Amino acid sequence: MHDILNVIMDEIRDFRTSHKNIKVVPKVKPDEIRDFLANRYDFKDSVPIEKVFNDVKYSMRKWSLHVTDPRYFGLFDPQVTLPSIIADTLTALYNPQLASWSHAPAANEIENITLNYFLKKFGMDPEKGFANFTTGGAESNLTAVLLALTDKFPEYGNKGLRSLETQPVFYISGEAHNSFNKIAHITGLGRNAVRVIGTDDNLKMDTFKLRKAIESDISSGFKPFLVAGTAGTTSAGIIDPLDRLAGICTEYELWFHVDAAWGGAAVLVPEYKKYFNGLERADSITCDAHKWLSVSMGGGMFFTRDRSDALRTFKIEADYMPDKTQETIDSYASTIQWSRRFIGLKLFMTMAVLGERAVAETIKKQVLLGEKLRRKLKSDGWIIVNKTPLPVVCFTHPRITKGDLRPADIISRIYDRQDTWISETILKSNMNVLRACITNYESTEKDILFLAAQLKELIEGEY
Ligand SMILES: *Cc1c(COP(=O)(O)O)cnc(C)c1O
């Protein structure tokens, strides 16, 4: 055992150095990996762990898109902190069961102190509010919709949606995360219950259109119950006008959810709090630790202002579960999951080891790098198409807008070179643009210049 642990320790050390000798973007067809595995593993005979580890290492290094690389400018998947690697290992080692408080008192309280810290940062009262770790933003958003349905339609829990006299509908912007469509499907609301509101010139939810849609739904016999604003859209980092959305929700008695899966972490930087005006009025908030707080997946968080909503939505009596105490809340009876992994340890250890000032500095550093990238691209002749204080840059080029080239042409050539990764996205449902996001706290100006140089070469090349 000692030997294999040392080998793994060496790999952790080696993979976290900047010269790990890997390609950022893999080039592989499914059959190559399937053959590699099928030739070695049929699970009939035992294979020594050293050999299994070597096969895992070989395939993971060779056939992964390396999101932890400083030249991955992608989809909010960060380089992870060392404390989160240690925490995930310890979680597997102790394997605490967090479903009930009494099974894992220490683990539950380690999560609670961490969640309460963020509850306060989001302007909620830990004495009245409630928070839990989730697998990610999709689960957090689902939790929000379930709580809102339970709050706004008391018969929903027992009699179901079919007992309602009117069809509930909810509102997101055209730039919101697509998880809401799945959520509408899963909850039984139906995908048509999602009202997609148009955006203004800056890609923010148009509150005039929102109000009109609510009015028109009410007069056609639908029952609006929730608005989900986004604080940092996935494609373009746009923060919806949260304060105005909160006002509309108060006026029409709707649940106000804010999906801050990525952007929410920026509230740790005092100077950036102003971008999130109105967030403190949310009924519930989604924020992923596995995005901008740089812990490993899956580390989502869900926050809500009034804990009775969570307790009502997920209440359950199970004879075989241990007795409850008065001062604690059991997560099996207040969240979606039952058996519960110690998700929060990696965020606890990251916050504890780095401290809030250093975490805020890493966020700020990435914001400044985003600004540098924006300036550099502009000076190289690119056109920046999104306006956000957050480090996501969406851009196009006169050669693209003229129809001479498609963003996909640039992308496929970048992937071909395997050194850096950016993506293509669609804004306003028909504008294809390139997208680069600073996701790695170890990315430097050198990495930005490397990306800019590749882009310049490609846009000036022959096609
Ligand atoms: C990433 C993201 C989600 C989904 O979160 P997961 O952790 O991937 O489940 C939801 N909303 C927004 C705005 C996101 O960026």
Side-chain angles (χ1 to χ4, degrees), residues 112-122 126 268 303 351 355-357:
N112 285 341
I113 191 175
T114 314
L115 291 167
N116 285 344
Y117 167 84
F118 282 97
L119 264 170
K120 276 190 248 164
K121 288 284 173 198
F122 286 130
L268 294 189
F303 301 90
M351 293 303 302
E356 84 175 355
R357 179 114 44 101

Side-chain angles (χ1 to χ4, degrees), residues 298-313:
M301 295 184 283
F302 173 75
F303 301 90
T304 191
R305 183 166 302 285
D306 179 353
R307 72 172 52 144
S308 68
D309 290 311
L311 295 174
R312 246 187 308 150
T313 303

Side-chain angles (χ1 to χ4, degrees), residues 236-294:
I238 303 302
I239 302 170
D240 281 330
L242 304 177
D243 207 43
R244 268 182 286 148
L245 297 186
I248 292 175
C249 286
T250 306
E251 190 180 329
Y252 291 95
E253 297 183 350
L254 312 180
W255 185 279
F256 181 37
H257 176 65
V258 177
D259 181 357
W262 173 62
V267 302
L268 294 189
V269 184
E271 304 98 284
Y272 299 160
K273 277 195 90 156
K274 60 174 187 276
Y275 302 128
F276 298 91
N277 263 341
L279 181 63
E280 73 291 344
R281 297 171 71 185
D283 292 302
S284 57
I285 296 171
T286 288
C287 180
D288 276 349
H290 68 210
K291 287 182 173 170
W292 215 349
L293 291 166
S294 298

Side-chain angles (χ1 to χ4, degrees), residues 94-111:
Y94 301 123
N95 198 29
Q97 169 58 283
L98 278 79
S100 67
W101 190 90
S102 62
H103 254 64
N108 268 287
E109 291 305 323
I110 285 172
E111 287 202 339

Side-chain angles (χ1 to χ4, degrees), residues 132-401:
N132 63 275
F133 284 100
T134 64
T135 49
E139 184 188 328
S140 301
N141 286 343
L142 171 60
T143 306
V145 173
L146 289 169
L147 263 58
L149 279 171
T150 306
D151 179 51
K152 303 296 180 190
F153 306 96
E155 28 339 3
Y156 168 68
N158 287 327
K159 296 188 177 163
L161 285 174
R162 285 188 64 197
S163 68
L164 304 180
E165 275 165 24
T166 50
Q167 162 75 43
V169 291
F170 69 95
Y171 304 83
I172 60 174
S173 91
E175 300 294 319
H177 194 263
N178 291 323
S179 56
F180 286 104
N181 300 85
K182 288 209 283 189
I183 289 165
H185 189 140
I186 296 167
T187 52
L189 283 163
R191 292 179 188 238
N192 294 347
V194 184
R195 303 295 201 238
V196 180
I197 305 300
T199 50
D200 64 16
D201 289 345
N202 292 325
L203 301 168
K204 291 173 190 270
M205 195 193 293
D206 184 327
T207 50
F208 179 74
K209 286 183 183 154
L210 172 64
R211 192 180 283 278
K212 260 182 63 178
I214 293 171
E215 291 286 351
S216 135
D217 277 329
I218 292 172
S219 63
S220 323
F222 292 98
K223 182 78 177 88
F225 73 99
L226 170 145
V227 174
T230 309
T233 60
T234 314
S235 279
I238 303 302
I239 302 170
D240 281 330
L242 304 177
D243 207 43
R244 268 182 286 148
L245 297 186
I248 292 175
C249 286
T250 306
E251 190 180 329
Y252 291 95
E253 297 183 350
L254 312 180
W255 185 279
F256 181 37
H257 176 65
V258 177
D259 181 357
W262 173 62
V267 302
L268 294 189
V269 184
E271 304 98 284
Y272 299 160
K273 277 195 90 156
K274 60 174 187 276
Y275 302 128
F276 298 91
N277 263 341
L279 181 63
E280 73 291 344
R281 297 171 71 185
D283 292 302
S284 57
I285 296 171
T286 288
C287 180
D288 276 349
H290 68 210
K291 287 182 173 170
W292 215 349
L293 291 166
S294 298
V295 309
S296 44
M297 285 179 266
M301 295 184 283
F302 173 75
F303 301 90
T304 191
R305 183 166 302 285
D306 179 353
R307 72 172 52 144
S308 68
D309 290 311
L311 295 174
R312 246 187 308 150
T313 303
F314 299 111
K315 75 166 181 233
I316 199 83
E317 308 281 342
D319 297 339
Y320 53 85
M321 291 302 279
D323 279 347
K324 297 151 208 48
T325 64
Q326 281 303 312
E327 327 93 293
T328 61
I329 294 177
D330 286 334
S331 66
Y332 81 92
S334 53
T335 71
I336 290 177
Q337 297 178 26
W338 201 288
S339 281
R340 171 173 285 277
R341 173 188 164 77
F342 194 4
I343 298 171
L345 183 61
K346 51 201 171 194
L347 183 58
F348 169 82
M349 287 186 73
T350 295
M351 293 303 302
V353 171
L354 275 80
E356 84 175 355
R357 179 114 44 101
V359 174
E361 280 306 314
T362 64
I363 289 171
K364 221 166 122 178
K365 187 185 133 191
Q366 291 173 74
V367 166
L368 298 177
L369 215 51
E371 278 168 24
K372 273 193 185 135
L373 176 63
R374 221 170 269 132
R375 275 201 302 274
K376 174 71 184 146
L377 290 176
K378 221 186 271 178
S379 78
D380 284 351
W382 299 90
I383 305 160
I384 309 298
V385 296
N386 65 331
K387 219 171 125 189
T388 172
L390 308 180
V392 191
V393 188
C394 296
F395 55 104
T396 184
H397 192 274
R399 277 193 78 183
I400 294 172
T401 50

Side-chain angles (χ1 to χ4, degrees), residues 70-98:
R71 290 181 179 176
Y72 169 80
F73 299 102
L75 305 176
F76 306 147
D77 304 315
Q79 161 66 316
V80 293
T81 63
L82 185 59
S84 64
I85 296 173
I86 295 169
D88 269 354
T89 309
L90 294 177
T91 293
L93 175 67
Y94 301 123
N95 198 29
Q97 169 58 283
L98 278 79

